[in-house]
Amino acid sequence: MRHLRRVVSVVAGAAAWWLVSCRDVPAPVGGVLSLSPVRLPSPGLVAGDTMRDSTGVVAALNVVAYGVGGDTIKTVTPTFVTLDTGAHLSGALLIGDRAGTTVRVVGSVALVQTQPVSVKVTTSPDTMVAADSTVHRKDYSLKGDTVVNTPDLTTTVLHKGTTTSGVEAVIVRYSIDRAPPGDSTKGPTLLLMNGTTQSSRDTTDASGKAARTARLRITAITALTSDTAVVRATSSYRGRTLGTVTFVLIFNRQ
């Protein structure tokens, strides 16, 4: 008898599950199923200023809303909240209050919410300089070498106030002004790298430093002798250039 009750209980539970599973799944509020992470115009925010984009123009936070079919929903207005002191919101504009803090921001549309994203609040950057040497010499051999990498091409972004300090979360862009001549069918002779990944921009760390390396592709060059390359680094704030650092790279065949 006890066994029979147990069987009846299992059957009843299965039936209840079947009834629940057969119900229609309610449509998401406003048709919004998911959101992208909060999109920041910049990785950092200056105390006393509004967040700006890469051109120096004031820019709002944003998220992208997606519907059930994965389509983008454009007729929604996201809202944002800050979880920490150090910055405040005016609508979708984030405004810095206190340098040296990290502020978490959350976005929402309908009843869907993003994960917090962190924003560094910093002093205002006003200068960019080379962190060390701007001339690098690298030897290479045709016996076994296919690429040769330079040391870090390092810059420092500074705030020169009562005391000079590095500024975090500033984007530094690197560009190749001159590369060794090569065979265009074999690709570029010089690449800008972040470790093993091709990358032409970096964000300054807590000390204000940014860096990229240059990689010479020996298989693509045509002049297998000494040659010189030039790489330029720049950064800006509010549309004003903070500085330009020029690196001279001398590659010498052994």
Side-chain angles (χ1 to χ4, degrees):
M1 194 68 176
R2 182 177 303 169
H3 175 72
L4 179 59
R5 285 197 299 268
R6 192 173 298 146
V7 171
V8 171
S9 176
V10 170
V11 172
W17 174 86
W18 182 84
L19 287 171
V20 171
S21 65
C22 287
R23 292 177 182 174
D24 292 335
V25 177
V29 176
V32 178
L33 181 66
S34 63
L35 299 177
S36 71
V38 175
R39 296 188 171 185
L40 300 174
S42 171
L45 172 66
V46 172
D49 195 8
T50 306
M51 183 167 275
R52 298 171 180 273
D53 64 17
S54 60
T55 66
V57 176
V58 169
L61 305 175
N62 192 25
V63 297
V64 177
Y66 301 98
V68 176
D71 53 309
T72 301
I73 302 174
K74 299 181 179 180
T75 57
V76 296
T77 302
T79 59
F80 301 91
V81 295
T82 56
L83 304 181
D84 309 283
T85 59
H88 69 277
L89 285 156
S90 176
L93 297 176
L94 187 62
I95 301 168
D97 295 326
R98 191 170 74 253
T101 59
T102 300
V103 176
R104 293 168 298 163
V105 180
V106 172
S108 62
V109 176
L111 298 180
V112 184
Q113 190 176 80
T114 69
Q115 291 293 319
V117 63
S118 295
V119 180
K120 300 288 185 180
V121 185
T122 71
T123 54
S124 57
D126 51 41
T127 306
M128 188 183 79
V129 297
D132 45 41
S133 176
T134 58
V135 178
H136 298 279
R137 291 176 170 83
K138 290 293 294 184
D139 296 334
Y140 68 90
S141 170
L142 296 180
K143 297 179 180 179
D145 288 342
T146 58
V147 298
V148 59
N149 296 319
T150 67
D152 283 347
L153 311 178
T154 308
T155 61
T156 304
V157 176
L158 300 169
H159 168 79
K160 292 187 174 181
T162 306
T163 58
T164 299
S165 59
V167 182
E168 188 174 4
V170 177
I171 295 174
V172 177
R173 293 174 175 79
Y174 290 77
S175 60
I176 298 171
D177 282 359
R178 175 183 171 184
D183 182 345
S184 60
T185 65
K186 296 180 180 179
T189 58
L190 196 69
L191 301 173
L192 295 171
M193 306 295 295
N194 175 25
T196 59
T197 304
Q198 191 172 345
S199 172
S200 62
R201 53 184 261 173
D202 192 16
T203 302
T204 57
D205 61 17
S207 64
K209 287 184 169 54
R212 285 293 177 260
T213 61
R215 172 175 293 178
L216 178 69
R217 299 179 63 247
I218 297 171
T219 54
I221 60 178
T222 53
L224 300 177
T225 57
S226 297
D227 209 333
T228 301
V230 177
V231 172
R232 179 165 46 94
T234 61
S235 63
S236 64
Y237 171 58
R238 296 177 69 116
R240 182 184 70 84
T241 299
L242 303 176
T244 299
V245 177
T246 300
F247 297 93
V248 177
L249 315 175
I250 303 170
F251 298 102
N252 185 44
R253 175 186 170 184
Q254 293 296 291

